[in-house]
Amino acid sequence: QVRLVESGGGLVQAGGSLRLSCAASGSIRNIDTMGWYRQAPEKERELVAQITSGGSTNYADSVKGRFTISRDNAKNTVYLQMNSLKPEDTAVYYCRERIRISTFRIGDYWGQGTQVTVSS
């Protein structure tokens, strides 16, 4: 069984920074794409950033230049460094990882979510 545990959310003033972490544990062969999504109240969940196993990244236009995604394969962990935070970044942030647990089994796993609140 695979488990994703997120940490690092909280309350910060506009212009501040936070760093989110998401660590995977369990029966993991390897991890392909890792990403961060967010969902604000009454809005759909949206992709914030993702990183492939080769290190290629892509970002939502709204966070480009402010957020940086990275990964530590030895720790099965993905990070999201968020700088210059804005009130519109307020949301629950979820990590999502595409994990291979055996030769023929691969699936998408989600974290439980962590609240990020940016005050103006």
Side-chain angles (χ1 to χ4, degrees), residues 7-28:
S7 61
L11 173 65
V12 65
Q13 289 188 331
S17 299
L18 285 173
R19 189 190 194 211
L20 306 183
S21 300
C22 175
S25 62
S27 180
I28 297 171

Side-chain angles (χ1 to χ4, degrees), residues 19 34 36 51 59 68-72 77-80:
R19 189 190 194 211
M34 309 170 95
W36 288 96
I51 182 168
Y59 297 90
T68 302
I69 190 170
S70 61
R71 61 190 287 168
D72 185 333
T77 300
V78 61
Y79 304 96
L80 185 68

Side-chain angles (χ1 to χ4, degrees), residues 30-44:
N30 56 59
I31 302 177
D32 189 5
T33 302
M34 309 170 95
W36 288 96
Y37 291 71
R38 67 186 181 187
Q39 187 166 18
E42 301 181 357
K43 292 189 176 181
E44 293 188 354

Side-chain angles (χ1 to χ4, degrees), residues 54-75:
S56 297
T57 59
N58 70 282
Y59 297 90
D61 289 342
S62 59
V63 307
K64 283 181 181 177
R66 300 188 297 122
F67 292 9
T68 302
I69 190 170
S70 61
R71 61 190 287 168
D72 185 333
N73 292 325
K75 296 181 179 180

